[in-house]
Amino acid sequence: MSNNPAKPIPKVAVESLTGCAGELLVILDNLEKLVPFIRIMSFPFAQSKNEDGPLDIAFVEGSVSQPHDLEKLKRIRAKTRWLVAIGNCAVWGCVQAGSCSRCHADDMMHSVYGDTCKFEVMQAKPLEEFVKVDVRLSGCPINATQFLSVTASLLKDHLPFITHKPVCLECKLRETACVLIEKNLPCLGPVTAAGCGALCPRVGAACYGCWGPCQEPQMEAMATILQEKGYELDDVLSRLQTFGAPKELFTRMASEKN
Amino acid sequence: MSEIERTEIEIPEISRVEGHSAVTVDVENGKVVDVKLEVFEGTRFFERIVLGHKYDEMPHITSRICAICSTGHVLAAIKAVENIFQFSPSETEKLFRELMHLGMIIESHATHICALALPDFVGAADLSDLAGKHENEFAIWTRLRDLGASIQTVVGGRPFHPVNLHAGGLSRYPSRKELRPLLVKLERGTEDAAHLITLLKSFNLPTETELAPCFLALIPEGDSYGYFGKTIKASDGWQAPVEEYTTYLSESSVEYSHSKRSLLGTKPFMVGSMARLFFFSEKLGKTAKDIFDKSPLAQKNKRVSSLWNNFAQAIEIVEAIERATVIIEILLTSTIAGSENTDFKNKLKAGRGVGAVECPRGTLYHSYTLDESGNITAADMITPSAQNSAHIELDIRKAAELELKKAPDHLRSTLETLVRAYDPCNTCATHMVSVRQLK
Ligand code: SF4
Ligand code: SF4
């Protein structure tokens, strides 16, 4: 780090696959805080001279949704020490993986671009399906404070601790009234990873799961509660899957449906 | 027969908010024969993935199309759903939504002008270089960006992908205590925006071009300059309700690009700040109007290069700051009242609704069809970048023809700057243009 002349300055890259650039924007907005401690080798979204070469940390946003993404991801993996999947797209596949789990990529392509279209597409998947990921930092978009503390850990050579407790915990800590119990809203807080500070319940809205599943999410229990509150199982399932919660979490529910 | 001399001018990657794109210009015997704007971002099939979801999930899902314009997507989605249920928001909600939208306009325009365009004009390599060499301009960007983000955080719950805006109204109304500090930031923003205007004026932007753009923009609903409306207007005087967009926009896929393109009949057209100012400058507040009137943008017969889009955006920042101040002052002195009957669950019905808003880059359309249980059975979204793409190609062609004789470096930078001027969502670009001789 810069205050230790003996140690080389860590080399960092910020790259994106298929996503909405949300994380890039969060990092851009916090760049001033990082610049004294790192050397940014590549950040095509924010700088013009981007270098190749070995990296200490690669932050990668977006899901793998086309062959081009996969090649890029493999190139990045090969040259970095830590690979950090940032954002729900990179960690869970986000909306493109969640909603797409119900249909095939080719069908989607033809229904959007027409029958004659020949793009190469893939079923959208998170990074971990293809390469080793060292740190999974979820959020849609990631939370700036969480991002900075993760980066600080990595710069000190520690793997960071990231909580995967449910959003409910943050509601309790903030003493926010439970919107599931008190307002009967279809809140996914009990099965969604904390990190946002319970943004939605805080304004009286239902969590829609944008941080991805929490640790050991009790999907069945969640579905049961929502069914008891009058929500159809189909709708509950589609809501639970929207932000990329993997199919395996729903096996029993799916078989119950059939 | 003499050998054909071919050159390909290539910009291999211009990074854009909506993904990645490239530009190629094919030149044969000194003539531009082909221009391609190739968008090779990963496709996400939003029009397909929303099918089967409930109407109330639309704002959250479609917001993920683009982070910088997420507020615009959320509002277009909300308007489309509310149109199906024939719901009209209360005055308070309208003001909060407008305020939220202005926050996005300020943040997005400031980021485009300062982080993306400015380095080109002041001779900086990129944003970091700008930060080192032009501290003052860099600080202006951080403050304006923060102003836009703060407004969106107070109203929407976070700087983008808002959580507080829904079809049927806001979940929670920001308090006076939260609104007041924004006034202080807005005041500072007024100075910053004025500085930006002075700076942009000092650049020698070309005012003559052979292109007479066909402009398209939404007619603002209220008396002031605005971004919401139900009717679209074109520069030849033609107008149509947005519900009929499929009859006037012909959308098609092109082989080389993941971005669809739209034509107005057979014509490429331009949407965004220049289009809005071309039509509705009369509605601008006093400060913005004065600036507009003294700029070449005001001389409607004289053609102005698309590079002026940067300046047009700066005028919109001035306007947005003035209007946001007015809105907050109204909100501070009025009773904040939400709508009644905001729960659509008991009045579900099948139908189609279109919602359109003016995003930073131009008109955005969302259209949904619902079945009687409130599930989406069809969806369509047309983004400003898809609408502008045919016009960008036209512009590149013109610029390349005019500048072909100039040194490759010059041509390269002219084309880059031109494409970037269209690209307000793009916080920066890989400034790599290669001019290759093919044979
Ligand atoms: S995780 Fe969310 S914010 Fe990040 S790129 Fe994906 S859609 Fe955008
Ligand atoms: S409460 Fe849920 S949906 Fe809302 S921001 Fe947090 S994780 Fe995302």
Side-chain angles (χ1 to χ4, degrees):
Chain A
M1 255 153 289
S2 60
N3 49 8
N4 178 356
K7 210 174 163 205
I9 249 197
K11 292 178 179 167
V12 172
V14 185
E15 301 285 350
S16 72
L17 309 178
T18 299
C20 80
E23 279 65 53
L24 305 185
L25 211 56
V26 173
I27 297 179
L28 185 74
D29 288 357
N30 288 280
L31 212 53
E32 298 110 275
K33 299 179 191 113
L34 295 179
V35 164
F37 307 104
I38 59 173
R39 170 150 166 236
I40 300 176
M41 297 283 285
S42 155
F43 190 179
F45 183 75
Q47 70 183 29
S48 23
K49 285 188 226 95
N50 296 299
E51 299 168 60
D52 205 355
L55 296 168
D56 294 286
I57 312 174
F59 295 108
V60 182
E61 175 201 86
S63 65
V64 178
S65 303
Q66 52 181 346
H68 177 79
D69 290 337
L70 185 54
E71 282 164 35
K72 191 164 166 186
L73 176 63
K74 287 185 173 156
R75 272 202 311 273
I76 298 170
R77 177 67 273 184
K79 62 179 183 181
T80 190
R81 177 172 178 215
W82 307 116
L83 179 76
V84 188
I86 44 166
N88 189 302
C89 284
V91 177
W92 296 107
C94 205
V95 291
Q96 61 269 29
S99 307
C100 298
S101 60
R102 300 173 301 166
C103 35
H104 195 270
D106 282 339
D107 300 339
M108 287 189 293
M109 182 177 76
H110 293 140
S111 66
V112 174
Y113 290 96
D115 288 336
T116 52
C117 184
K118 292 188 207 77
F119 303 142
E120 283 189 88
V121 285
M122 298 165 69
Q123 206 86 21
K125 293 212 167 101
L127 312 189
E128 223 172 28
E129 297 273 334
F130 305 97
V131 296
K132 175 171 174 269
V133 170
D134 302 294
V135 181
R136 305 157 83 234
L137 183 61
S138 191
C140 182
I142 49 167
N143 171 298
T145 316
Q146 218 179 19
F147 166 72
L148 290 172
S149 79
V150 162
T151 310
S153 293
L154 290 175
L155 294 181
K156 293 263 182 222
D157 268 351
H158 291 301
L159 274 174
F161 171 76
I162 302 169
T163 176
H164 296 290
K165 293 270 186 303
V167 171
C168 292
L169 186 79
E170 293 185 318
C171 274
K172 300 297 165 282
L173 289 172
R174 308 185 60 93
E175 299 182 6
T176 301
C178 177
V179 295
L180 177 67
I181 307 292
E182 314 229 331
K183 291 168 86 175
N184 290 323
L185 294 179
C187 185
L188 303 185
V191 293
T192 301
C196 66
L199 280 184
C200 297
R202 240 161 101 179
V203 298
C207 168
Y208 53 87
C210 80
W211 234 259
C214 65
Q215 208 173 332
E216 297 175 18
Q218 306 298 308
M219 293 296 187
E220 327 272 323
M222 184 82 252
T224 310
I225 294 179
L226 292 179
Q227 271 183 295
E228 275 168 22
K229 293 197 177 288
Y231 295 96
E232 305 275 342
L233 184 61
D234 269 350
D235 298 341
V236 171
L237 252 171
S238 118
R239 223 175 253 274
L240 283 168
Q241 286 185 36
T242 306
F243 278 80
K247 262 188 185 156
E248 306 81 82
L249 294 171
F250 305 93
T251 31
R252 213 173 80 206
M253 264 187 275
S255 59
E256 211 172 278
K257 231 186 87 192
N258 296 328
Chain B
M1 221 175 95
S2 68
E3 202 177 332
I4 302 174
E5 197 201 321
R6 285 152 107 205
T7 312
E8 188 181 71
I9 303 157
E10 195 188 16
I11 308 178
E13 179 163 358
I14 303 166
S15 59
R16 307 169 63 104
V17 148
E18 302 204 312
H20 312 276
S21 60
V23 166
T24 51
V25 179
D26 288 332
V27 182
E28 258 178 39
N29 289 341
K31 277 219 152 67
V32 176
V33 290
D34 197 21
V35 171
K36 284 193 182 101
L37 176 72
E38 187 187 335
V39 179
F40 52 93
E41 63 167 299
T43 47
R44 299 207 284 162
F45 309 111
F46 274 91
E47 287 144 332
R48 177 65 185 78
I49 67 180
V50 298
L51 301 190
H53 281 279
K54 279 266 179 309
Y55 67 89
D56 59 339
E57 293 179 87
M58 285 311 99
H60 300 316
I61 300 178
T62 56
S63 140
R64 269 67 190 183
I65 291 173
C66 164
I68 295 194
C69 315
S70 55
T71 290
H73 283 282
V74 164
L75 289 168
I78 287 175
K79 281 174 191 288
V81 170
E82 289 181 350
N83 283 344
I84 299 178
F85 299 119
Q86 283 156 12
F87 169 85
S88 313
S90 72
E91 284 311 307
T92 314
E93 270 149 8
K94 282 192 195 154
L95 288 173
F96 273 119
R97 286 177 181 176
E98 190 183 347
L99 181 60
M100 181 77 186
H101 198 84
L102 295 172
M104 167 183 66
I105 295 284
I106 296 170
E107 188 182 6
S108 173
H109 280 356
T111 298
H112 170 65
I113 298 172
C114 302
L116 181 112
L118 262 195
D120 286 342
F121 294 114
V122 298
D126 54 32
L127 188 62
S128 334
D129 199 27
L130 185 82
K133 290 189 195 148
H134 301 269
E135 271 174 45
N136 195 15
E137 283 70 31
F138 187 79
I140 289 177
W141 172 54
T142 49
R143 279 194 300 267
L144 285 175
R145 180 195 78 202
D146 172 65
L147 167 62
S150 303
I151 294 176
Q152 293 181 89
T153 306
V154 167
V155 184
R158 58 178 161 188
F160 51 94
H161 296 327
V163 298
N164 193 30
L165 308 181
H166 306 276
L170 271 66
S171 292
R172 175 182 162 274
Y173 292 88
S175 66
R176 297 197 166 83
K177 209 174 127 209
E178 290 167 281
L179 288 171
R180 260 183 225 110
L182 293 177
L183 287 176
V184 182
K185 289 193 178 191
L186 282 162
E187 213 179 303
R188 182 71 221 243
T190 311
E191 285 166 40
D192 286 334
H195 184 99
L196 213 51
I197 294 278
T198 318
L199 188 69
L200 288 171
K201 260 198 198 152
S202 69
F203 304 141
N204 222 347
L205 296 177
T207 47
E208 299 278 0
T209 143
E210 286 176 42
L211 270 186
C214 167
F215 288 126
L216 240 66
L218 281 180
I219 303 178
E221 271 164 356
D223 299 331
S224 51
Y225 190 82
Y227 299 85
F228 306 150
K230 295 188 169 75
T231 311
I232 199 92
K233 181 175 174 158
S235 22
D236 60 7
W238 163 94
Q239 296 186 1
V242 291
E243 283 80 20
E244 291 170 16
Y245 76 89
T246 48
T247 63
Y248 60 82
L249 293 187
S250 62
E251 231 205 349
S252 62
S253 308
V254 279
E255 253 180 26
Y256 54 84
S257 177
H258 287 184
S259 162
K260 291 194 205 172
R261 61 204 46 220
S262 314
L263 299 173
L264 182 67
T266 53
K267 259 194 287 182
F269 59 94
M270 188 177 182
V271 291
S273 306
M274 280 176 70
R276 292 188 288 259
L277 286 173
F278 179 84
F279 292 127
F280 310 116
S281 61
E282 289 307 311
K283 287 175 174 259
L284 288 169
K286 186 168 178 332
T287 322
K289 175 118 185 16
D290 280 352
I291 300 168
F292 175 86
D293 285 344
K294 290 196 194 103
S295 76
L297 288 165
Q299 301 161 25
K300 298 204 170 170
N301 311 329
K302 191 165 172 182
R303 283 149 198 180
V304 173
S305 145
S306 306
L307 288 177
W308 277 87
N309 197 38
N310 297 308
F311 193 78
Q313 290 176 327
I315 295 178
E316 288 194 332
I317 296 181
V318 173
E319 169 66 21
I321 291 175
E322 197 171 325
R323 176 76 187 143
T325 310
V326 171
I327 293 178
I328 294 177
E329 275 159 2
I330 300 175
L331 288 168
L332 285 175
T333 51
S334 57
T335 334
I336 292 184
S339 309
E340 309 214 328
N341 305 320
T342 60
D343 193 354
F344 301 138
K345 270 190 221 108
N346 301 321
K347 44 176 178 182
L348 289 180
K349 58 174 182 164
R352 171 178 178 256
V354 178
V357 298
E358 283 292 325
C359 272
R361 272 172 304 163
T363 327
L364 167 71
Y365 301 81
H366 277 220
S367 161
Y368 307 127
T369 309
L370 299 187
D371 64 16
E372 53 290 335
S373 322
N375 296 315
I376 308 286
T377 56
D380 192 16
M381 293 123 205
I382 301 189
T383 61
S385 57
Q387 295 172 67
N388 272 334
S389 55
H391 199 266
I392 297 179
E393 286 179 348
L394 201 67
D395 241 1
I396 296 172
R397 179 182 282 268
K398 257 312 171 246
E401 273 166 6
L402 284 174
E403 309 261 323
L404 217 48
K405 303 246 155 50
K406 304 250 171 77
D409 272 1
H410 181 92
L411 177 57
R412 192 182 292 156
S413 78
T414 308
L415 294 189
E416 277 188 37
T417 315
L418 181 64
V419 174
R420 224 167 278 133
Y422 270 94
D423 200 0
C425 256
N426 195 345
T427 32
C428 211
T430 38
H431 300 218
M432 280 169 51
V433 178
S434 68
V435 179
R436 291 189 285 179
Q437 292 287 342
L438 284 187
K439 218 189 227 173

